[in-house]
């Protein structure tokens, strides 16, 4: 089977690509073909061709913004949120495999979801999806406008009693006016793309017209416009009015001009009149009151607001709660109130920076892989990408989420007290470097203090990582584990120990030797060609048709012993930890009597696959409850470029879905017979 998937999130940064990666991994694991198109902030990548769509057995759209479905008429189409793509990719794919998904017919207003019972789940977040679609298109206008104004003020501004002022007639006054022009598009764009998300192209013009009227109080006799609240209302009103008109039954002669003339004209007229005669005035007064109230906040009330905003931003790290606070701050920029976005800009970057800092300061709290992720998290924080904290929060939410919330709230309060302002709808040190932040010193003080608070909360709440102590055959503990180093196991293939450590001095000597060995191994990683078939990285010596071990962990030890004998790994204990960490995430028993344990580790010198058979089976906690009889262990160097382990998994999974091939493999008696069959996997 071959499936297609589209992923897209409002900001088009982290969630888009996380969902894409998880869907691809799930497809590889389930043995189905998958091509994922990402619609992110840099545009469409890996775009489907007409041939891709024609050959597809089904399509998944995992998105929180509008995605054009017109390409998929006549195809089974499953629509879900981007979080479903991140957290439940296998469930989405399995639903397509079962065929429990309707064919998309492009009827007006139809939103295919896929199945009864849970069929309404995808529809429950439609309001949020429409809103975020508008926000995603609005944000670039705020960013451009804010940066142009900030640059003009920082370079061309002159100090006056009323603050920085740009002289009339100067070049920088022109730059400032360009920034102001970008801001004027904010509300119309927001409203237009909310309507577009609801009713497709016929809703775009009515939405933008309604948004323009909402932003200009002169239409309804108000000095202040209805602001972003009015824009949101205009967008939803225009979208649903256009959708309602689309459902009208009209003569065939009129149908072709409905989407380009009749729907836009009627919807624009209805929305425009509704705002001018009914809605505009009351909404403008409410928005004016809200802006004045926020601007007048002093003392404890402003601190309370900062606490709320900081908590919201960090609670779900780019999710719906985060976006509500972000949208609120963005709207205040349009009203000239920059001191709301300032604390938000601080809170945005504290979770990823604080967690990155924690992995550096308190290493015992994290596995090796998490410490590597900490570097990426810290970097993402510098650029204001809160989603960098998600991998840590997903693994230990009860300790990580409170830690980052307290850190963000602390930083947000310091920023509010320090009158930090932000003229751009974004966060992180990058906006300060670009000159968009008022009171830069207090901005960095708030970020540093908030990040340190997060790191200290992690130290306080998070437990030290349990250090496993592999036992060698005579029952003594491996020396490398005692000292925290990485000592290559001395066990032979059948698990018999050749030597043991008897005193502390010998431990010390062995560890010193191990450090040298590991360094040498790391510096001597073998350059290899990309794997095109399984037998590129498997040999007769890495095949065992009669495994002796009786439990999962013992089988892992037996297979690792073969890797060690082959010279593929420098430390059996270190690689075993990588394998067990992967098993803790979810079992690699994929069902149908198959298990594919795998791991990336610095202990792996060269990519290798070991194959073992256990005719009576071993409990591997497989997804279908079957015992593992065919076990493939994949070892990949940590510094290996690309996702080679995923390619190998994909090769294995696809071939092992073939019942005949699997039956043939179960019947082999010799290594040579097994190798001949494995040579077919490519």
């Amino acid at each position: 089977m071959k499936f297609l998937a589209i992923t897209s999130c409002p900001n088009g940064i982290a969630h888009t690509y996380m969902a894409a990666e998880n869907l691809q991994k799930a497809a590889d694991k389930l043995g189905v073909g998958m091509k994922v198109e990402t619609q992110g902030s840099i545009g469409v990548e890996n775009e489907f061709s007409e041939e891709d769509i024609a050959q597809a057995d089904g399509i998944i759209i995992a998105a929180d913004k509008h995605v054009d479905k017109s390409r998929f008429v006549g195809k089974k189409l499953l629509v879900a949120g981007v979080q479903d793509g991140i957290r439940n990719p296998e469930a989405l794919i399995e639903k397509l495999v079962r065929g429990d998904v309707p064919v998309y017919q492009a009827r007006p207003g139809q939103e295919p979801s896929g199945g009864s019972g849970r069929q309404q789940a995808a529809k429950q977040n439609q309001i949020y999806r429409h809103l975020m679609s508008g926000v995603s298109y609005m944000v670039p206008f705020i960013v451009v406008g804010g940066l142009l104004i900030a640059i003009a003020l920082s370079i061309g501004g002159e100090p006056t009693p009323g603050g920085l002022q740009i002289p009339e007639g100067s070049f920088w006054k022109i730059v400032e006016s360009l920034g102001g022009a970008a801001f004027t598009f904010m509300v119309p764009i927001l409203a237009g793309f909310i309507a577009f998300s609801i009713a497709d192209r016929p809703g775009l013009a009515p939405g933008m017209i309604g948004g323009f009227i909402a932003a200009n109080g002169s239409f309804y006799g108000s000095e202040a416009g209805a602001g972003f609240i009015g824009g949101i209302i205009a967008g939803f009103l225009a979208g649903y009015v256009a959708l309602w008109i689309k459902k009208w039954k009209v003569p065939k002669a009129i149908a072709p001009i409905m989407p380009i003339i009749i729907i836009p004209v009627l919807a624009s007229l209805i929305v425009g009149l509704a705002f001018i005669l009914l809605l505009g005035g009351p909404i403008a007064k409410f928005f004016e009151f809200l802006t004045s109230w926020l601007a007048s906040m002093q003392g404890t009330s402003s601190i309370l607001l900062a606490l709320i905003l900081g908590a919201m931003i960090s609670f779900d790290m780019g999710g719906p709660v985060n976006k509500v606070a972000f949208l609120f701050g963005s709207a205040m920029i349009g009203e000239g109130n920059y001191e709301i976005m300032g604390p938000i800009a601080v809170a945005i970057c504290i979770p990823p920076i604080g967690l990155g800092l924690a992995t550096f300061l308190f290493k015992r709290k994290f596995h090796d892989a998490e410490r590597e992720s900490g570097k990426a998290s810290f970097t993402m924080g510098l650029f204001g990408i809160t989603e960098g904290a998600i991998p840590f929060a997903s693994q230990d939410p009860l300790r990580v989420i409170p830690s980052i919330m307290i850190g963000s709230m602390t930083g947000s309060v310091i920023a509010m007290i320090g009158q930090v302002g932000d003229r751009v709808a974004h966060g992180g040190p990058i906006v300060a470097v670009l000159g968009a932040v008022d009171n830069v010193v207090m901005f960095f003080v708030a970020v540093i203090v908030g990040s340190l608070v997060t790191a200290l909360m992690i130290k306080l709440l998070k437990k030290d990582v349990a250090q496993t102590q592999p036992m060698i055959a005579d029952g003594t503990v491996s020396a490398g584990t005692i000292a925290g180093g990485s000592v290559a196991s001395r066990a032979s293939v059948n698990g018999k120990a050749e030597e043991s450590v008897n005193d502390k001095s010998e431990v010390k000597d062995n560890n010193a030797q191990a450090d040298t060995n590991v360094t040498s191994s790391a510096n001597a990683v073998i350059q290899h060609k990309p794997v095109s078939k399984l037998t590129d990285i498997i040999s007769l010596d890495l095949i065992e048709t009669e495994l002796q071990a009786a439990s999962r962990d013992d089988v892992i030890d037996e297979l690792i012993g073969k890797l060690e004998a082959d010279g593929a790994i420098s430390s059996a204990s270190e690689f075993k930890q990588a394998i067990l960490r992967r098993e803790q995430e979810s079992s690699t028993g994929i069902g149908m009597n198959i298990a594919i344990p795998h791991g990336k580790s610095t202990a792996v010198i060269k990519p290798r696959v070991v194959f073992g058979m256990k005719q009576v089976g071993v409990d591997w906690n497989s997804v279908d409850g079957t015992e593992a009889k065919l076990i493939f262990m994949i070892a990949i160097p940590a510094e290996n470029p690309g996702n080679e382990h995923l390619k190998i998994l994909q090769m294995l999974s696809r071939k092992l879905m073939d019942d005949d091939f699997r039956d043939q493999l179960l019947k082999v008696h010799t290594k040579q017979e097994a190798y001949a069959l494995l040579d077919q996997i490519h």
Side-chain angles (χ1 to χ4, degrees):
M1 301 185 82
K2 180 180 180 182
F3 297 139
L4 304 178
I6 294 177
T7 62
S8 184
C9 68
N11 285 344
I13 306 175
H15 285 90
T16 297
Y17 301 102
M18 289 169 67
E21 183 177 356
N22 285 0
L23 280 165
Q24 188 68 63
K25 286 181 179 178
D28 293 342
K29 179 179 178 181
L30 295 172
V32 299
M34 173 73 78
K35 180 176 181 179
V36 185
E37 175 182 298
T38 55
Q39 297 186 6
S41 58
I42 61 173
V44 177
E45 296 177 278
N46 207 27
E47 187 172 6
F48 304 147
S49 65
E50 291 184 6
E51 184 179 0
D52 289 332
I53 297 171
Q55 294 177 354
D57 296 300
I59 295 102
I60 296 170
I61 295 178
D64 281 343
K65 56 181 284 190
H66 174 81
V67 173
D68 182 14
K69 307 179 189 72
S70 60
R71 295 180 286 171
F72 308 128
V73 173
K75 292 288 181 179
K76 290 185 176 181
L77 180 62
L78 173 61
V79 177
V82 72
Q83 290 292 344
D84 291 322
I86 295 172
R87 296 173 181 171
N88 303 304
E90 292 183 26
L92 297 179
I93 295 171
E94 287 169 351
K95 191 175 287 188
L96 275 181
V97 171
R98 293 195 304 268
D100 190 18
V101 177
V103 173
Y104 181 54
Q105 300 295 346
R107 293 191 296 272
Q110 181 180 0
E111 278 291 337
S113 57
S116 57
R118 287 188 232 173
Q119 193 169 19
Q120 299 303 318
K123 295 186 178 183
Q124 290 173 356
N125 64 347
Q126 275 190 4
I127 298 297
Y128 170 72
R129 184 180 293 122
H130 299 324
L131 177 61
M132 289 301 104
S133 180
V135 170
S136 67
Y137 286 102
M138 176 189 74
V139 166
F141 288 86
I142 306 175
V143 172
V144 170
L147 281 178
L148 288 176
I149 293 172
I151 291 169
L153 282 170
S154 60
I155 298 177
E158 295 180 356
T160 70
L164 281 178
Q165 299 290 335
I166 302 174
E168 293 290 339
S170 69
F171 169 76
W172 294 110
K173 192 66 177 178
I174 298 173
V175 175
E176 182 190 38
S177 66
L178 289 174
F183 271 129
T184 64
F185 288 100
M186 181 180 77
V187 176
I189 290 293
L190 171 66
F193 281 95
I194 288 173
F196 177 76
S197 178
I198 296 168
D200 220 324
R201 289 182 180 84
L204 183 60
M208 294 192 73
I209 292 169
F212 181 77
I213 294 171
N216 290 272
S218 59
F219 282 97
Y220 37 87
S222 174
E223 292 185 6
F228 84 100
I229 295 176
I232 291 171
I233 293 173
F236 279 103
L237 180 61
Y240 284 113
V241 167
L243 192 61
W244 170 60
I245 298 173
K246 282 174 70 175
K247 295 179 180 179
W248 291 359
K249 293 182 179 180
V250 297
K252 290 183 179 180
I254 298 177
I257 63 170
M258 284 287 288
I260 58 174
I261 298 177
I262 295 177
I263 297 174
V265 169
L266 287 178
S268 298
L269 185 63
I270 292 171
V271 174
L273 290 175
F275 251 87
I276 292 171
L277 300 177
L278 299 173
L279 302 174
I283 296 172
K285 288 181 180 178
F286 173 75
F287 191 71
E288 187 177 1
F289 164 77
L290 180 63
T291 304
S292 300
W293 175 64
L294 290 170
S296 66
M297 274 192 160
Q298 300 292 331
T300 56
S301 58
S302 63
I303 291 174
L304 176 61
L305 177 63
L307 287 169
I308 294 171
L309 292 175
M312 292 176 69
I313 285 293
S314 55
F315 174 69
D316 56 357
M317 297 152 285
V321 177
N322 171 288
K323 289 298 188 293
V324 170
F326 177 79
L327 178 60
F328 180 53
S330 303
M332 291 299 101
I333 291 175
E335 297 301 311
N337 187 339
Y338 308 122
E339 291 184 7
I340 300 299
M341 194 66 201
I344 292 173
V346 169
I348 280 171
C349 65
I350 285 175
I353 290 177
L355 285 166
L357 198 60
T359 62
F360 177 75
L361 296 176
F362 312 118
K363 295 182 179 181
R364 289 187 300 174
K365 303 290 181 180
F366 303 93
H367 292 292
D368 291 343
E370 290 176 314
R371 291 200 290 271
E372 288 299 313
S373 297
K375 298 173 185 177
S377 175
F378 187 89
T379 304
M380 292 172 76
L382 297 179
F383 290 90
I385 302 174
T386 317
E387 290 89 340
I390 288 176
F392 298 95
S394 62
Q395 291 182 30
D396 193 1
L398 295 179
R399 295 179 179 86
V400 170
I401 292 177
S403 299
I404 62 178
M405 287 180 69
I406 291 172
S408 289
M409 291 163 73
T410 302
S412 186
V413 168
I414 293 172
M416 183 68 81
I417 294 173
Q419 297 181 326
V420 173
D422 182 11
R423 299 169 182 269
V424 181
H426 200 64
I430 184 66
V431 296
V433 171
L434 294 173
V437 169
D438 299 330
N439 205 342
V440 175
V441 173
M442 285 305 297
F443 174 86
F444 279 106
V445 169
V447 170
I448 292 169
V449 173
S451 300
L452 284 172
V453 168
T454 290
L456 290 172
M457 288 298 299
I458 289 292
K459 177 176 173 57
L460 179 65
L461 297 180
K462 193 171 172 63
K463 297 179 180 179
D464 288 353
V465 172
Q467 299 296 327
T468 56
Q469 298 184 344
M471 305 297 290
I472 56 180
D474 64 355
T476 58
V477 180
S478 166
T481 306
I482 295 175
S486 31
V487 180
S489 170
R490 303 294 195 266
S492 61
V493 174
N494 64 5
K496 298 290 184 180
E498 295 178 0
E499 59 179 306
S500 62
V501 179
N502 295 314
D503 55 49
K504 293 182 180 178
S505 61
E506 192 172 351
V507 170
K508 183 176 179 181
D509 292 342
N510 282 343
N511 282 333
Q513 182 63 43
D515 290 339
T516 303
N517 290 344
V518 172
T519 303
S520 300
S521 300
N523 292 332
V525 174
I526 296 175
Q527 299 297 319
H528 62 280
K529 297 179 181 179
V531 178
S532 59
K533 61 180 182 177
L534 191 64
T535 48
D536 289 342
I537 52 174
I538 197 170
S539 65
L540 289 174
D541 292 334
L542 293 173
I543 296 174
E544 179 55 67
T545 57
E546 296 181 3
L547 289 169
Q548 302 299 310
S551 68
R552 186 200 70 172
D553 285 11
D554 288 343
V555 167
I556 288 173
D557 285 335
E558 189 171 343
L559 295 177
I560 289 176
K562 284 193 167 291
L563 286 171
E564 189 179 20
D566 183 66
I569 58 175
S570 61
S571 168
S573 61
E574 189 174 335
F575 180 61
K576 182 177 180 179
Q577 288 182 28
I579 291 290
L580 293 179
R581 280 199 298 271
R582 174 60 188 85
E583 293 293 339
Q584 287 174 359
E585 294 175 12
S586 63
S587 172
T588 57
I590 66 172
M592 295 172 289
N593 302 121
I594 302 164
I596 312 180
H598 53 277
K600 263 190 172 186
S601 172
T602 53
V604 180
I605 299 171
K606 51 190 176 183
R608 284 292 181 265
V609 170
V610 195
F611 171 58
M613 294 179 60
K614 184 75 175 174
Q615 290 294 344
V616 296
V618 61
D619 183 12
W620 214 280
N621 195 26
S622 299
V623 293
D624 62 354
T626 60
E627 293 190 329
K629 298 181 179 181
L630 305 173
I631 300 132
F632 295 84
M633 177 177 284
I634 304 172
I636 297 293
E639 301 302 321
N640 194 69
N643 288 317
E644 195 147 32
H645 64 296
L646 296 180
K647 298 174 186 175
I648 299 167
L649 275 169
Q650 187 177 27
M651 284 193 300
L652 280 170
S653 299
R654 286 180 173 174
K655 190 64 177 176
L656 292 171
M657 291 303 105
D658 185 332
D659 293 339
D660 291 338
F661 178 83
R662 200 166 60 250
D663 290 342
Q664 290 178 52
L665 199 54
L666 282 167
K667 294 174 182 176
V668 301
H669 297 289
T670 66
K671 295 182 178 182
Q672 289 77 8
E673 290 175 341
Y675 186 89
L677 276 174
L678 297 179
D679 191 48
Q680 300 176 24
I681 299 178
H682 53 79

